[in-house]
Amino acid sequence: MNKQQSNQVRIELKQQFPLTIKRIGINGEGVGFFKRKIVFVPGALPGEEVVVEVTKVHPKFTEARVKKIRKASPQRTKAPCPVYEQCGGCQLQHLEYQGQLDAKRDILIQSLERHTKLNLDELDIRPTIGMDNPWHYRNKSQFQVGTQDGKAIAGLYSMNSNKLIDIDECIVQHPLTNKVTTEIIRIINDFKIPVYDEKQKRQIIKTIVTRVGFETGQVQVVLVTTEKKVPQKDLLVQEISKRLPEVVSIVQNINPKKTSLIFGDQTINLQGKDSIKERLDEFTYELSARAFFQLNPIQTSKLYGEAKKAAALTGNEKVVDAYCGVGTIGLWLADGAKEIRGMDVIKEGIDDAKKNAKASRVNHADYYVGSAEDLMPQWKQEGWRPDVVVVDPPRVGCDRKFLDTIKEVKPKRFVYVSCNPSTLAKDIDYLKRDYRVEYLQPVDMFPQTAHIETVTLLTLIQQDFREIVTDKK
């Protein structure tokens, strides 16, 4: 055995040891170090002294669970949800809300440390903007359907398992989404409508998706099924309409694939409208089943307000709303822009965006089906170049081709609204030679969870700006 091997610390499964928790990790777990090895402990909080038991050993890190809390954090509180530890949908209910806001800013900092070469001491990373009431804020639930003791249930799968947790009331969901989902399960059980084919061992109804308009009170239900034919489907639709008059749209989506993606490609209207309406401030939005819309309408106003501040529009700018969905951010910026162009690859979202622009009397916004990386270079060739680009990508971040397009088209301001600090960090690091990070503003869109949204303002580095001016001349 050489000297290096003798100095290595071997950690065994079920080994117990004391640990001081240093910070909250990106998934909401406590982070500590044992003999210089990183240890992740769900449920532990910064500053706590705990005794842990090892549950998994990986080459580069260890997972453990709390056996005993020797010194508790003053910010530790009792989680009010009865299935909090089983469900895994929330990770921070046991941390007082101000502590959550502080932890989320730190999660952003950790991502920047890990994925960028930026000097963090020189970055303006602002305090997290929180909620006055951090409960009952989600406008959409996606509850998986299963069976338990011969009856249908709906809920979420326990973290890292295939056990479905029956959830009657989720306290981060709008009460109407809970009411509607619970009543649909009651209808299914009342009429013994099968959700699972015992003979062929396959799912029939996979997911119940419920979305509510906070301001309008309208509800849409999407039944996600493995095939078009569903036993007693007409009866189910009839009873939903009878018992739940607030449901104005009942839709079926067909997704035969075994995948983590909720929706398939085919959507069928079963009863009522194709979409529901929602209002944010003076704007009205049409929301069809597959259209993206922020899950926390109360914080969305704050988030888009921060995006508008970052865009700093004067009335003369041409703006691109990339990954535009139903046009929410672009419409929010419209009164300060000379022209808005938005694009998305989902046609239904673009159809909704056009309706939303018309309803809001925004006549200088145009929407296109397609990707920004295809459309923006084409517009540049035609002589149209945006002054500001705003993007709100999915969790995987911006496509590399899109970032290359930003480098090519060179908008003066790039406003990046991110729901994933890791991909945000990687993307802004990729742009660092062309764009300066002016500031990062975290916004808490998902209280009680470890998720954090961030509005980042990037400005074109002056050397490149001079090239554009020269090119225009």
Side-chain angles (χ1 to χ4, degrees), residues 32-305:
F33 294 89
F34 179 68
K35 306 293 186 183
R36 297 187 178 180
K37 288 185 175 289
I38 193 166
V39 183
F40 295 111
V41 189
L45 297 176
E48 291 191 331
E49 296 174 6
V50 296
V51 176
V52 302
E53 181 179 81
V54 175
T55 55
K56 286 185 181 178
V57 179
H58 303 268
K60 294 186 178 180
F61 64 92
T62 298
E63 296 179 50
R65 66 184 181 92
V66 176
K67 286 286 289 183
K68 181 181 179 181
I69 299 176
R70 288 179 171 174
K71 178 185 174 184
S73 166
Q75 292 185 314
R76 177 174 283 277
T77 187
K78 182 175 173 56
C81 175
V83 295
Y84 171 57
E85 294 184 2
Q86 302 171 55
C87 167
C90 296
Q91 301 86 41
L92 297 177
Q93 284 191 20
H94 62 294
L95 176 60
E96 288 182 356
Y97 190 52
Q98 183 57 51
Q100 293 184 31
L101 299 180
D102 296 339
K104 292 186 181 193
R105 180 178 182 273
D106 189 59
I107 288 170
L108 174 59
I109 291 170
Q110 290 178 60
S111 294
L112 294 167
E113 288 173 340
R114 186 175 297 114
H115 299 298
T116 78
K117 294 179 181 178
L118 300 171
N119 186 342
L120 269 59
D121 292 334
E122 295 179 355
L123 286 184
D124 180 4
I125 306 171
R126 299 177 177 182
T128 308
I129 297 172
M131 294 189 74
D132 294 332
N133 177 19
W135 303 100
H136 300 295
Y137 60 81
R138 289 181 66 102
N139 63 5
K140 182 180 180 181
S141 64
Q142 299 180 150
F143 279 10
Q144 310 304 312
V145 177
T147 56
Q148 187 178 89
D149 300 326
K151 289 192 171 184
I153 62 170
L156 299 173
Y157 284 101
S158 182
M159 190 173 290
N160 301 321
S161 84
N162 59 359
K163 181 183 178 183
L164 187 63
I165 305 298
D166 187 10
I167 301 175
D168 289 327
E169 181 184 4
C170 176
I171 58 177
V172 297
Q173 288 287 157
H174 187 288
L176 261 181
T177 68
N178 288 319
K179 174 189 173 184
V180 169
T181 304
T182 300
E183 190 60 40
I184 291 173
I185 289 296
R186 188 175 290 121
I187 292 168
I188 288 170
N189 286 319
D190 285 350
F191 291 94
K192 296 181 171 53
I193 299 171
V195 298
Y196 187 82
D197 188 326
E198 291 290 348
K199 290 183 180 179
Q200 297 191 32
K201 301 294 181 186
R202 59 183 172 82
Q203 200 89 10
I204 299 172
I205 300 177
K206 297 171 68 174
T207 311
I208 299 171
V209 180
T210 305
R211 176 147 64 181
V212 58
F214 268 46
E215 292 297 319
T216 64
Q218 295 182 352
V219 179
Q220 181 180 68
V221 169
V222 185
L223 303 172
V224 182
T225 64
T226 53
E227 56 189 68
K228 184 175 180 179
K229 185 177 179 181
V230 175
Q232 303 183 73
K233 181 166 67 176
D234 292 344
L235 175 62
L236 176 56
V237 171
Q238 178 184 326
E239 282 298 311
I240 292 173
S241 296
K242 178 181 174 182
R243 299 190 193 186
L244 297 163
E246 55 269 76
V247 175
V248 300
S249 173
I250 306 175
V251 175
Q252 180 183 4
N253 178 268
I254 301 165
N255 184 4
K257 299 176 182 177
K258 290 186 177 180
T259 171
S260 59
L261 296 175
I262 297 293
F263 291 117
D265 294 330
Q266 187 179 4
T267 302
I268 304 166
N269 183 293
L270 298 180
Q271 188 157 303
K273 304 174 183 178
D274 291 329
S275 60
I276 61 171
K277 292 184 185 297
E278 177 62 301
R279 286 193 298 271
L280 290 179
D281 288 8
E282 71 267 32
F283 300 105
T284 299
Y285 299 98
E286 291 273 349
L287 307 177
S288 56
R290 293 183 61 207
F292 170 78
F293 193 73
Q294 291 284 356
L295 294 172
N296 185 337
I298 295 168
Q299 289 296 89
T300 297
S301 295
K302 298 178 185 178
L303 183 75
Y304 290 170

Side-chain angles (χ1 to χ4, degrees), residues 347-361:
K347 181 182 180 300
E348 295 94 328
I350 292 298
D351 291 341
D352 288 341
K354 291 177 179 178
K355 292 176 187 175
N356 295 335
K358 185 176 181 180
S360 299
R361 298 179 181 176

Side-chain angles (χ1 to χ4, degrees), residues 117-118 407 427-436 459-464:
K117 294 179 181 178
L118 300 171
K407 289 183 174 186
D427 289 349
I428 63 177
D429 191 63
Y430 184 69
L431 292 172
K432 66 178 180 291
R433 290 187 179 181
D434 300 271
Y435 283 85
R436 179 184 298 106
T459 57
L460 190 65
I461 292 174
Q462 197 65 25
Q463 181 182 353
D464 291 331

